[in-house]
Amino acid sequence: MDALHKPAPDETDDPRADARAAETRVAETRVTPMMEQYIEIKAANPDCLLFYRMGDFYEMFFADAETASRALGIVLTKRGKHQGADIPMCGVPIERADEYLHRLIALGHRVAVCEQMEDPAEAKKRGGKSVVRRDVVRLVTPGTLTEDTLLDSRRNNFLAAIVRGKPSSGSDDARFALACLDISTGEFRLTECDRVRLASEIARVEPGEVIVSDALYEDPDVAPFLRSLPAVTPLGRDVFDGASAERRLTSYFAVATSDAFGTFSRLELTAAAACVTYVERTQLGKRPPLSPPSREALGATLSIDAATRANLELMKTLGGERRGSLVAAIDRTVTAAGSRLLAQRIAAPLTDPAAIARRLDAVEFFTRESILRGVVREKLAAAPDLARSLARIVLARGGPRDLAAIRDGLSAAADLAGRLSADGLPDEITTASRDLRAPDPALAEMLSAALADELPLQKRDGGFVRSGYEPALDEARALRDESRRVIAALQARYADETGIRALKIRHNNVLGYFVEVTAQNAERLMTPPLNATFIHRQTLAGQVRFTSTELGALEAKIASAADRALGLELEIFERLAAAVIAAADAVKAAAQALAVIDVAAALAAVAIECRFVRPEVDGGVGFCIEGGRHPVVEQAIASEGGSFVANDCDLSPMSDTGRGRIAVVTGPNMAGKSTYLRQNALIVVLAQAGSFVPAARARIGVVDRLFSRVGAADDLARGRSTFMVEMVETAAILNQASDRSLVILDEIGRGTATYDGLSIAWAAVEHLHDRNRCRALFATHFHELTALANKLDRLFNITVRVKEWHGDVVFLHEVVAGAADRSYGIQVAKLAGLPPAVIERAKHVLGVLEAEDRTSPARKLVDDLPLFAPRIAPPKVAVDPHAEAVMKRLAELDPDDMSPRDALEALYALKQAARG
Ligand code: ADP
Ligand code: MG
C-alpha cells in the first residue's frame, strides 16, 4: 500500500517541523502541545482507534498506528519522540477514509473520528505555538453506521441491546428484553422473551453489533452465547440502568411519557434506552430520526432458530453467500428499501392468518394488474434510498446528493400515489398509498427549485445551488467568475507590456496568485522600469515568481467573492436540510410505503415468472401441498436446461379433530430426499411471509415454530464434534416443538455408530409422535424405521423412486407412498466414479452379507417396544482355531484336582497353545 504522506503545509503543528525540532531537542521527554492534545483525546476514547485529523489526513499514533498499519497494510512511519522513544505513526487520506473505516470496522475495530474544529489560520492567530482545536465528532462502530459506502444497501444494519431480568414467578427461566434499531433507516423494535427465543431472534435480525452490560458479558450463563456473536460491546451499568430508562427514552423522542409508544415492560424500556443512549454517545449527541419503538407481540412471528435458518439457507447459503439462498432466488425488488423489507419478511414470517392474507391480497392484486405492475416497478426503480439519505441529513452527514435523493424519492412517491388511488385496492396498498401522500408537496418543490442539475459529492465543494435560486448567490458567483476573467485579461496585458509571451499568472495554496516567468526573462522584471510593477516573491530552478499590487487586490476580491458564494450555498444547504428534518416523519412514512409497494409488486413478478400460486393459510393443523417445488433448486436445474419434478406432501390430520402426521422418507442417496424436505419448509416460510409459493396448490395450517436439522453437519469452527452438534440441535426440537410446529429431520443419527444412530432416530420419532405431536418429515437411511408405521398411527412412509437400468440407478425424483426397498449405495458409488475394482469387490461383500441371516432387528423391535436394546445380537465373530484349542484345554482342567505345581505348568502350556 502507498504511504500517502503529505501533511498540509499551513498546519500550525506541522509534523515534520515538529519532528525536526524533536531531533535537535536535548530534553527529549518534553511533550509537544500537539502531542499533549492527542494524548488527552486518546485517553478519553481508550477503546477506539483514534483518527486524528491533520490537514488532509487522519493520522494514528502509538499502538493505534501499529494496529492500523497491520490491519490496513499501510506503511508505518515515525514522527518525533515521546519519552525518549520514536512515536509510530500512520495515516489515511481523508478522501479514502470511508474505505479504510469499512475495513477496520469489518475487522471488529471501533474508530473515534477526531476533526479540526477550526481553521488552522485561526489557531495561528493565537500565536505560533498554538494547536488547532480538535474534537471527536463521532464514534464509528459496526452497529451505528450510516454511510452507503459502509453499508450493504439490501440489508438492514441493526444495533441490538440485550437486557436480562429476573425469572418470572413460577419459572426459573430468566426473561430477556431485546431492542433492535437501525439508525440508517430508523427502524426500532422491542421484544421480551426467554433464552431460547432470544437466540432465535438474534439469528433473525443478525445485528451488526450487540450491546450488553459488563455484568451480563461476564455472566457464565450467557457468555458463551455472546462470544459466539460477531460484534459484542460490553458497556457500563449506567447505560443499562432501569431507573433512568424511561427518562432517557422519552427525552430522546421529546415526549412526556413512554405511554406515547404503547405499554412496555420495565425490561423492554431498559433495552430501548440502552440503544438510544449508545446512539447518542457514538453520534456525540446527534439524534438520528428513529421511529418510536414498537413491540412485536410474542408469537406474532414464526419462530425459526439459528440452526434452522442456516440449514434452510434463507438469507445466505451454508457457504455464506447470498447467491443460492431463498431470498436471492425470489428477490425481484427494484429498490434497496424493498430488498431490505423483503429480507425482513422472509426472516420473520407471520403467524396470524389475517395478517398473512392482507399481504397476499396485495401480491395477488399486482399479479392481476400486470400493466400497472410494470409501471409501478419502473417508477420505483428510479426512486433513491429515501430512508438512508434522510438519516444522513439528520446526522449532519448528508451531502447535496442526499437532498436530491429526498427530492426524487418524494416525487416518485407523489407520482405513485396518483397511480394507486382507485377504489377497491387491497388494504395494504391503500394504506401505503395514503402514506405516500404524507409529505407536503412543497418540500419536493423547494428542493427541485434549489438544487442544480449536476451535484458535487460534498457540500463544501459548492456549486449545488441552481443559478437563479437566490439573487445574492448569483451576484457573488458573477463577481467570482468575472474576477477570474479579469485575471486572464491581466495576464494578457502583462505579457504585452513586458514583451514576455510565456508570462503566466498561476495560483497555489502557499503564494496565492503570482506571475511566473522563466529564469532568462526574470531579469527584465527585476530592472527598471518593470521592477516598479513586479515584486519578487520566489526563485525556483527554472522559474521566478512575482506579484504586483494590482494582482494582490484582485486576489482579495476573488477570494472574498468565492468565500461569499460558498458561504451562501452552505446557508441554503442548512435551510433545505432543516426543512427535510422538519418533515422527517412524513418522509419516513413515504419511504416505508415505497418499500411495501415494491415488495408486493416484486412478489407478484416472481410469482408470475416462476409459476407460484397463492397459498391458503388458516388456523388449523392441516398441511397439504400439491405439486410442490424447491424454489432455489428448480432455478438451478432450469438454468442447466433440466426440469424439476414436482411432488405432493400431505401431513394433514386423518380426521377433522386429529393432529398432523409424520412422514418417514426413505430412498437412496441423491434421490432427492433433502430437496423434498426443504422445499416443504420453504413453502411454509414463503406462505407465512406473505408470498405466493412454488406449488400447484398449497393449504397450510399456520406453523408456530419451524425446525430443520441435518445429521452430522460440520461445525468444527465452534469446536464441537459433529455428532454433538446434531444431538444438541435435536434436543432443542424435542424440547420445544408444539403440536403446531413443523419439524424437518434430515438423516438424524448419521454421525455415530449404526445402532446408536438407529436407536436415537427411533426414539426421536416416537417422541415427536407421542409428545410433540407435530407435523414432521423425517428422511432417513435407516430402513428399519419404516417398520414404525405399523406401530404409530399418525406415521406413514414415503419414498423417492429410483429405477435400476442395466445395473445403474436412475433417479426419478418422484415421491410416492411406501418404503425404499434398498439403498443402491453401490450404484451411487459407481456413478461417483469409484474404481471398478472397488465396485466389484463391494458387490461381492454385499452379496455375502445379504446371504447371511439379515432378519431385520427392527421387525422384532416393533413388537417388543420399548425393550429393544438387549435384543440386538452382537455381530457374529468368525472362529479362530487357536482360540478353540485353548478353550478346549481350559475346559478339560479341574483346578480342585491340581497341585500348585501342576497348575503353574498348565498355565505355561495354555500360554504356549495360545501363541500357536
Ligand atoms: P438426497 O437427500 O436423497 O441424497 P438430494 O435432495 O440432495 O438427495 O438431491 C440430490 C440432487 O438431485 C439434487 O442436487 C438435485 O439436483 C436433484 N433433485 C432433487 N430433487 C429433485 C427433483 N424433485 N427434481 C429434479 N431434480 C431433483
Ligand atoms: Mg440428503
Side-chain angles (χ1 to χ4, degrees):
M1 183 67 41
D2 42 352
L4 297 149
H5 247 96
K6 187 172 57 67
D10 54 354
E11 270 270 56
T12 337
D13 38 15
D14 177 341
R16 276 171 308 186
D18 241 337
R20 278 194 302 275
E23 274 157 25
T24 52
R25 211 170 285 137
V26 190
E28 287 187 324
T29 47
R30 234 205 87 207
V31 180
T32 65
M34 196 211 79
M35 253 313 136
E36 217 166 76
Q37 181 192 49
Y38 173 86
I39 289 167
E40 187 186 324
I41 297 176
K42 174 67 193 175
N45 297 279
D47 55 346
C48 294
L49 296 175
L50 184 62
F51 267 33
Y52 182 83
R53 178 73 179 266
M54 293 179 75
D56 293 336
F57 281 79
Y58 288 117
E59 305 286 7
M60 281 160 281
F61 301 106
F62 301 107
D64 282 6
E66 282 159 4
T67 308
S69 90
R70 234 176 298 129
L72 300 172
I74 52 179
V75 176
L76 188 65
T77 56
K78 51 185 192 252
R79 171 190 187 286
K81 295 206 185 252
H82 180 66
Q83 299 184 335
D86 286 335
I87 301 174
M89 166 173 97
C90 72
V92 301
I94 48 162
E95 67 270 19
R96 292 177 60 194
D98 275 3
E99 173 193 332
Y100 288 113
L101 268 177
H102 185 74
R103 283 162 53 195
L104 288 171
I105 297 300
L107 289 166
H109 295 288
R110 301 153 54 80
V111 178
V113 180
C114 172
E115 292 291 352
Q116 298 177 170
M117 304 306 283
E118 63 180 352
D119 195 316
E122 291 295 313
K124 221 176 266 176
K125 284 185 201 153
R126 289 197 302 270
K129 283 257 182 283
S130 10
V131 180
V132 178
R133 259 197 314 116
R134 291 187 176 81
D135 222 334
V136 171
V137 297
R138 176 184 177 202
L139 306 180
V140 187
T141 77
T144 57
L145 304 174
T146 52
E147 287 80 355
D148 277 341
T149 42
L150 304 184
L151 290 164
D152 178 345
S153 65
R154 290 181 306 198
R155 292 186 48 187
N156 275 104
N157 184 43
F158 281 108
L159 166 72
I162 300 175
V163 181
R164 185 174 57 183
K166 301 204 169 42
S168 55
S169 56
S171 118
D172 42 32
D173 249 6
R175 302 291 300 165
F176 290 86
L178 175 69
C180 295
L181 82 79
D182 183 341
I183 72 164
S184 69
T185 63
E187 289 152 283
F188 194 3
R189 296 197 300 250
L190 299 180
T191 359
E192 192 177 319
C193 53
D194 61 15
R195 170 78 186 276
V196 170
R197 183 88 194 197
L198 175 72
S200 98
E201 285 296 308
I202 291 283
R204 160 188 158 191
V205 289
E206 293 188 281
E209 181 176 5
V210 174
I211 56 172
V212 292
S213 66
D214 289 325
L216 194 60
Y217 190 66
E218 296 304 335
D219 188 298
D221 268 357
V222 279
F225 169 65
L226 293 175
R227 302 289 192 282
S228 74
L229 301 174
V232 181
T233 309
L235 297 168
R237 57 192 303 178
D238 50 329
V239 179
F240 291 88
D241 172 37
S244 63
E246 174 156 11
R247 184 178 48 70
R248 284 181 287 145
L249 201 57
T250 51
S251 119
Y252 189 99
F253 286 96
V255 293
T257 99
S258 70
D259 297 344
F261 314 133
T263 39
F264 290 109
S265 68
R266 167 86 168 249
L267 211 54
E268 286 169 327
L269 291 177
T270 307
C275 273
V276 298
T277 300
Y278 188 61
V279 166
E280 286 188 311
R281 280 196 191 170
T282 55
Q283 310 305 306
L284 280 297
K286 296 211 186 68
R287 293 178 171 176
L290 300 178
S291 305
S294 67
R295 138 107 65 47
E296 239 164 47
L298 254 189
T301 57
L302 171 61
S303 167
I304 312 174
D305 61 19
T308 303
R309 280 171 202 282
N311 262 322
L312 293 179
E313 306 189 309
L314 298 183
M315 297 297 147
K316 51 182 188 253
T317 61
L318 289 169
E321 309 257 329
R322 178 179 154 99
R323 237 189 94 182
S325 66
L326 173 67
V327 82
I330 62 148
D331 187 354
R332 301 289 184 279
T333 57
V334 293
T335 68
S339 192
R340 293 194 295 266
L341 181 63
L342 179 65
Q344 282 179 16
R345 289 191 176 180
I346 296 292
L350 303 176
T351 50
D352 172 18
I356 294 167
R358 216 171 95 93
R359 290 184 182 176
L360 290 171
D361 286 344
V363 178
E364 186 179 333
F365 166 75
F366 278 119
T367 59
R368 284 196 315 260
E369 302 283 337
S370 54
I371 295 176
L372 180 62
R373 184 179 73 240
V375 174
V376 164
R377 282 164 61 74
E378 197 180 304
K379 297 278 167 206
L380 283 168
D385 200 338
L386 269 178
R388 283 193 168 159
S389 283
L390 176 66
R392 284 193 290 270
I393 291 171
V394 175
L395 289 170
R397 227 168 269 161
R401 292 181 192 176
D402 288 311
L403 290 177
I406 303 285
R407 171 194 68 195
D408 299 342
L410 291 184
S411 65
D415 188 353
L416 278 173
R419 286 164 200 278
L420 296 170
S421 57
D423 284 342
L425 294 179
D427 238 26
E428 195 181 47
I429 303 296
T430 311
T431 310
S433 163
R434 196 195 59 218
D435 288 347
L436 289 179
R437 280 172 239 267
D440 184 345
L443 179 58
E445 282 161 23
M446 175 179 174
L447 292 169
S448 302
L451 293 173
D453 296 335
E454 296 280 325
L455 297 172
L457 197 58
Q458 309 280 355
K459 59 186 176 195
R460 65 176 140 85
D461 295 337
F464 53 86
V465 175
R466 186 181 289 286
S467 65
Y469 178 70
E470 185 149 305
L473 175 60
D474 291 342
E475 204 174 290
R477 279 177 176 167
L479 208 59
R480 180 193 67 193
D481 300 341
E482 174 59 19
S483 314
R484 282 190 184 142
R485 265 198 299 283
V486 174
I487 291 264
L490 186 65
Q491 174 177 308
R493 206 178 81 218
Y494 279 168
D496 216 34
E497 284 173 9
T498 58
I500 303 169
R501 302 252 42 98
L503 179 146
K504 290 268 178 299
I505 296 184
R506 295 186 189 280
H507 181 269
N508 75 21
N509 285 330
V510 181
L511 294 183
Y513 283 99
F514 53 85
V515 171
E516 189 174 86
V517 296
T518 56
Q520 299 103 291
N521 288 324
E523 197 48 39
R524 305 246 309 271
L525 302 190
M526 295 202 267
T527 44
L530 292 176
N531 68 349
T533 310
F534 296 98
I535 308 154
H536 176 260
R537 291 295 306 270
Q538 196 177 33
T539 300
L540 303 178
Q543 274 91 30
V544 183
R545 293 166 172 180
F546 299 86
T547 186
S548 72
T549 332
E550 204 176 353
L551 187 58
L554 249 177
E555 169 159 23
K557 206 167 146 196
I558 292 175
S560 83
D563 276 359
R564 188 165 146 68
L566 184 60
L568 285 169
E569 285 208 72
L570 295 178
E571 267 173 37
I572 295 171
F573 185 93
E574 293 316 320
R575 238 167 37 223
L576 298 173
V580 170
I581 294 168
D585 286 344
V587 173
K588 235 164 24 170
Q592 178 67 13
L594 288 174
V596 166
I597 294 167
D598 189 15
V599 168
L603 286 174
V606 76
I608 287 176
E609 178 193 330
C610 301
R611 295 172 299 114
F612 288 7
V613 299
R614 178 175 178 148
E616 301 158 45
V617 183
D618 59 37
V621 288
F623 188 90
C624 181
I625 311 294
E626 292 172 23
R629 284 133 36 216
H630 190 299
V632 182
V633 176
E634 179 174 35
Q635 284 179 23
I637 290 180
S639 73
E640 285 160 16
S643 62
F644 191 88
V645 179
N647 280 304
D648 301 346
C649 179
D650 191 354
L651 304 176
S652 304
M654 285 166 296
S655 69
D656 282 353
T657 52
R659 306 264 172 216
R661 291 184 297 159
I662 299 176
V664 172
V665 189
T666 47
N669 271 325
M670 292 299 290
K673 300 183 296 296
S674 300
T675 307
Y676 176 71
L677 259 56
R678 280 181 182 71
Q679 82 189 26
N680 288 300
L682 294 180
I683 286 172
V684 168
V685 170
L686 286 172
Q688 295 189 206
S691 165
F692 281 23
V693 298
R697 184 157 179 244
R699 194 168 50 73
I700 298 167
V702 124
V703 173
D704 68 343
R705 291 175 171 222
L706 178 63
F707 295 98
S708 170
R709 295 293 186 272
V710 182
D714 251 321
D715 192 12
L716 295 177
R718 273 204 282 171
R720 289 202 253 171
S721 96
T722 53
F723 180 64
M724 183 65 186
V725 173
E726 187 182 324
M727 287 301 107
V728 166
E729 293 186 347
T730 308
I733 298 184
L734 299 178
N735 291 326
Q736 296 167 33
S738 81
D739 57 357
R740 307 206 136 265
S741 303
L742 176 67
V743 174
I744 303 289
L745 291 176
D746 193 353
E747 311 234 16
I748 287 300
R750 194 167 55 174
T752 181
T754 309
Y755 284 128
D756 284 6
L758 172 57
S759 319
I760 291 167
W762 185 289
V765 170
E766 284 182 341
H767 195 279
L768 286 176
H769 184 272
D770 296 338
R771 302 286 171 79
N772 305 105
R773 315 176 94 185
C774 53
R775 290 160 285 182
L777 285 158
F778 196 118
T780 181
H781 62 289
F782 297 125
H783 292 176
E784 292 85 346
L785 282 186
T786 57
L788 266 175
N790 300 328
K791 182 90 183 171
L792 306 176
D793 59 359
R794 282 180 293 105
L795 193 91
F796 65 102
N797 293 319
I798 49 183
T799 180
V800 192
R801 275 184 65 203
V802 291
K803 218 164 53 181
E804 228 179 322
W805 179 256
H806 295 311
D808 285 342
V809 61
V810 180
F811 299 109
L812 302 176
H813 302 304
E814 191 186 321
V815 176
V816 295
D821 51 351
R822 54 205 188 87
S823 303
Y824 298 93
I826 293 176
Q827 285 86 340
V828 174
K830 187 173 162 194
L831 282 182
L834 243 60
V838 175
I839 298 289
E840 280 316 308
R841 177 68 180 150
K843 279 185 181 161
H844 179 74
V845 173
L846 180 65
V848 172
L849 291 174
E850 283 184 338
E852 281 191 15
D853 178 29
R854 283 182 77 233
T855 36
S856 153
R859 185 75 41 209
K860 296 180 207 148
L861 290 180
V862 174
D863 302 331
D864 299 353
L865 273 173
L867 301 167
F868 66 92
R871 307 276 313 186
I872 296 164
K876 265 191 191 154
V877 185
V879 184
D880 170 352
H882 287 302
E884 207 159 27
V886 175
M887 294 294 281
K888 186 155 173 276
R889 281 199 178 190
L890 203 52
E892 284 163 7
L893 297 178
D894 180 0
D896 294 335
D897 197 31
M898 292 165 92
S899 69
R901 185 185 170 130
D902 291 342
L904 195 59
E905 272 171 8
L907 194 55
Y908 278 114
L910 277 172
K911 186 149 173 72
Q912 182 69 37
R915 271 199 215 112

